[in-house]
Amino acid sequence: MTGVLPEFTKDWQQPWSPVFLEWTVTCSALPDIKDWTFTDSASYQWKGTGTPKDPAIITGRTPLIPLLEFLTQGRVDQHGQKDNPQWADLTTSQEDQLSVALQEIDDHLTGRAPTPNLAPTGTNATDTAVHKLLGRGPYPPIPTEDPVFSTIRAAQFHFTHLDVVDRFGHAFNLINEQTYTQRLITTAPTMTPPGDKTATGVPSRLGVQLPPALTQGARLLFNFVSTINDARTISPDTDTLDDVTPICGWIIPNRLSSPPSLLVYDPHGHALGEIRPTSRPWAPYPNQLTGATGLDEQNPHLKAFIEGLTRRTDHPQAIASLTNAINTILPSIAPPRDGTPQHLSPLLGRPLALLRTSLSLQLNGPRLDQATPTSLTTPHTTPSPESWPVKLGSPDLTTDGLIGYFTPDHDKLHTVTNPTNTDSSYLAPIDPNEITLPATPSTAPSTPTYVTLLADPQATIHAYTGILPPTALRLPPRLLSPALNTLTPLLAHGTFLATQTGTTLTAACPANTTWAWKELDPDHPNTWLTLPITKPTPITDLTQTHPEARTGYLTITQNGSNRE
């Protein structure tokens, strides 16, 4: 007999419902941070050096939960709501995805005992009530020998037994002592031992790596600070640009000059001068022209940036390398999608900002060195002896706006990509171990590391530690708008050909932009004239007139009036 069975007449099968995982691992602790290297991907890899702790056998029974599917769907929903509306109705796979947390391994490496071992011995009413409730014993003894503990949790392990147990008590064996060498565990790159570098007792290609992590709560503080006082932390939510600012200055790549140059502005958007790869690298603008006060002690980091670049013996090559790096990195940074005007970008480049920031690693409470009753009652108030690297920026993330940073001085810019076509030592790729921070107790004064960033201020800058979630820093629009609305390019010209009719010039200028000309008034010294420029037409063709060579500055106007 052939045919198709009617609907709902298919043979029923009991669904498999796994409940928990029973497992055994052999684990070797690797607690010395000097035996680990912090890589460009902001993750840790074991060097294969040092002496691992003696292997320990750890067993556990862990419930299986659908946490992975829940978290994945949550991130998809979050991405759809904030960034891509077309993702709003997207759902993740409905296949069963179960996960577990092997907490017993962390308990072993951090010296935590899963059972209580301190009996209440006091005579007050509370202790007596607790003692009656818990009974008089027996309690496990407090360990007298040194526990297997370190302020750093790091290890390698491999499974020797693995069972999946369902709701009816049936066990499905995946790994046992006879087959564990034949079972390969798929691991994330950060949890895969490098090559054949496995600890004692961990077979090659079978190991799972636990990269270093702190054994107590911590956070990375990544803050803006004042340009004139590093000790003054700036709150993006409350501080205003008139009160205090982290913006040291503005840099605009000038693609119209040959060779390319850099236009420099103060924190409020007033033009200061131009950096050129010539024998006279710094060309300041007249103060009467721009209204800026020039470089002074109120702007130490912008002054250090200009002097660190222009006073080098190889300044032509250094300036050319910097402009080339900016023009290479900037296109990989996604422009803002909030409607911010981009009228300067096609002609020159997006404005970049020099931002003053601080970095510090803070523990949640005092520092604990050993998990013993003595250390819990006498915690440390000094920073940790080991330091943790911090990597700034991500060239693979289009929303990260970092170009490079200076620390501790301004004679070398560390860029997010490897500089190419450079003949100067002014640029260097970011070394992930360049910035290191000690873990400071929250009860002690912090000792931040101060960094000057060169970045797209309308994008986010990320900081990575490998032991904490990435920390993001971004300027709020209210700190950006006043300066962005003031920024106006001033392009120096020594032989600008134009024909003057009254107070208007006729000259050839780049299209789709309204231009004006600034020049000294011959009848009034120290006074600058602003003359609007009209483009030639068939009636006012330059070939039918007698243009004159003029010396001054080209600038952009908006709505027919000068923006200054």
Side-chain angles (χ1 to χ4, degrees):
M1 180 180 295
T2 61
V4 179
L5 291 175
E7 192 175 5
F8 305 121
T9 59
K10 183 179 179 180
D11 291 341
W12 179 83
Q13 293 182 349
Q14 172 70 42
W16 188 46
S17 301
V19 177
F20 58 84
L21 204 67
E22 288 187 339
W23 51 270
T24 302
V25 301
T26 299
C27 179
S28 297
L30 304 166
D32 195 341
I33 190 62
K34 295 191 297 294
D35 297 328
W36 295 81
T37 180
F38 190 59
T39 66
D40 289 332
S41 60
S43 61
Y44 283 91
Q45 289 289 352
W46 188 47
K47 299 178 182 178
T49 59
T51 304
K53 300 291 185 180
D54 293 334
I57 298 176
I58 307 171
T59 61
R61 175 183 289 183
T62 310
L64 290 162
I65 55 176
L67 181 62
L68 179 60
E69 184 176 346
F70 174 79
L71 294 178
T72 304
Q73 184 63 53
R75 292 306 300 268
V76 169
D77 294 342
Q78 182 186 40
H79 186 67
Q81 293 172 2
K82 291 186 176 181
D83 300 321
N84 287 311
Q86 63 270 25
W87 283 41
D89 298 328
L90 182 65
T91 58
T92 57
S93 174
Q94 298 300 316
E95 298 179 0
D96 294 330
Q97 299 176 359
L98 302 177
S99 60
V100 298
L102 307 183
Q103 184 62 42
E104 289 81 355
I105 297 180
D106 268 357
D107 290 342
H108 168 77
L109 295 174
T110 56
R112 296 189 180 99
T115 57
N117 51 29
L118 289 176
T121 57
T123 57
N124 59 56
T126 302
D127 285 345
T128 302
V130 172
H131 200 140
K132 290 180 178 179
L133 179 64
L134 297 179
R136 296 186 176 276
Y139 290 95
I142 299 176
T144 57
E145 67 277 3
D146 292 336
V148 181
F149 176 82
S150 172
T151 54
I152 300 172
R153 183 228 66 181
Q156 288 184 1
F157 67 87
H158 72 283
F159 287 95
T160 57
H161 191 87
L162 189 62
D163 283 342
V164 179
V165 183
D166 65 14
R167 60 188 299 183
F168 298 105
H170 299 156
F172 179 68
N173 179 257
L174 295 174
I175 296 175
N176 55 48
E177 294 182 355
Q178 288 73 38
T179 63
Y180 77 90
T181 58
Q182 305 170 12
R183 300 283 189 178
L184 297 180
I185 303 295
T186 301
T187 56
T190 57
M191 300 184 68
T192 303
D196 57 351
K197 297 177 181 178
T198 54
T200 304
V202 179
S204 178
R205 300 184 303 109
L206 301 178
V208 180
Q209 177 173 275
L210 291 179
L214 290 169
T215 54
Q216 67 180 110
R219 62 177 178 174
L220 177 66
L221 298 179
F222 189 19
N223 296 316
F224 291 118
V225 297
S226 170
T227 59
I228 59 176
N229 182 11
D230 285 340
R232 172 70 160 86
T233 300
I234 295 177
S235 172
D237 298 326
T238 58
D239 291 320
T240 63
L241 187 62
D242 293 333
D243 179 25
V244 65
T245 177
I247 304 174
C248 306
W250 296 87
I251 309 296
I252 297 181
N254 182 9
R255 300 171 183 167
L256 295 180
S257 67
S258 181
S261 62
L262 299 172
L263 307 181
V264 182
Y265 300 77
D266 71 6
H268 298 278
H270 300 123
L272 293 177
E274 185 176 5
I275 298 178
R276 307 167 178 169
T278 61
S279 58
R280 184 171 175 260
W282 174 238
Y285 297 133
N287 292 341
Q288 299 88 348
L289 171 64
T290 64
T293 58
L295 294 176
D296 53 27
E297 297 304 323
Q298 296 298 315
N299 210 333
H301 302 293
L302 180 59
K303 182 178 181 180
F305 164 75
I306 295 174
E307 293 179 350
L309 180 59
T310 59
R311 293 187 176 181
R312 297 174 59 93
T313 56
D314 62 342
H315 62 264
Q317 294 82 4
I319 297 171
S321 298
L322 177 56
T323 56
N324 180 67
I326 291 175
N327 292 330
T328 301
I329 300 173
L330 200 55
S332 65
I333 302 174
R337 294 183 292 176
D338 56 2
T340 304
Q342 298 291 314
H343 56 277
L344 296 180
S345 299
L347 292 172
L348 303 175
R350 268 179 281 165
L352 303 177
L354 284 172
L355 303 171
R356 190 65 174 169
T357 62
S358 67
L359 288 161
S360 60
L361 185 61
Q362 187 182 70
L363 296 173
N364 183 15
R367 177 171 60 88
L368 302 177
D369 269 350
Q370 293 292 329
T372 62
T374 302
S375 68
L376 294 176
T377 56
T378 58
H380 295 272
T381 59
T382 57
S384 61
E386 59 276 332
S387 295
W388 299 87
V390 178
K391 181 178 182 292
L392 297 179
S394 173
D396 300 324
L397 196 61
T398 58
T399 56
D400 190 284
L402 185 66
I403 301 292
Y405 65 80
F406 299 94
T407 186
D409 46 39
H410 294 75
D411 61 353
K412 185 181 291 292
L413 178 68
H414 304 268
T415 58
V416 294
T417 60
N418 193 13
T420 58
N421 301 325
T422 177
D423 297 326
S424 172
S425 59
Y426 180 72
L427 301 182
I430 288 179
D431 180 356
N433 296 278
E434 177 74 23
I435 301 175
T436 58
L437 305 173
T440 304
S442 59
T443 55
S446 62
T447 55
T449 295
Y450 298 102
V451 182
T452 302
L453 309 178
L454 178 62
D456 183 342
Q458 300 176 82
T460 304
I461 300 102
H462 299 83
Y464 302 89
T465 62
I467 59 174
L468 295 170
T471 302
L473 191 63
R474 183 172 184 173
L475 279 173
R478 62 182 184 81
L479 291 182
L480 291 174
S481 299
L484 289 177
N485 293 332
T486 305
L487 287 174
T488 302
L490 285 176
L491 310 179
H493 274 269
T495 54
F496 182 70
L497 296 179
T499 301
Q500 183 171 357
T501 304
T503 59
T504 302
L505 297 181
T506 301
C509 291
N512 302 324
T513 305
T514 303
W515 294 85
W517 177 255
K518 288 180 175 290
E519 65 182 13
L520 279 172
D521 187 345
D523 299 326
H524 300 85
N526 298 326
T527 300
W528 289 81
L529 299 175
T530 300
L531 307 176
I533 297 177
T534 61
K535 298 178 176 60
T537 65
I539 298 177
T540 61
D541 193 284
L542 291 178
T543 60
Q544 302 176 11
T545 60
H546 300 283
E548 298 175 337
R550 316 175 84 92
T551 299
Y553 297 89
L554 264 178
T555 186
I556 292 178
T557 62
Q558 188 176 27
N559 298 328
S561 61
N562 188 277
R563 293 170 56 188
E564 298 179 345

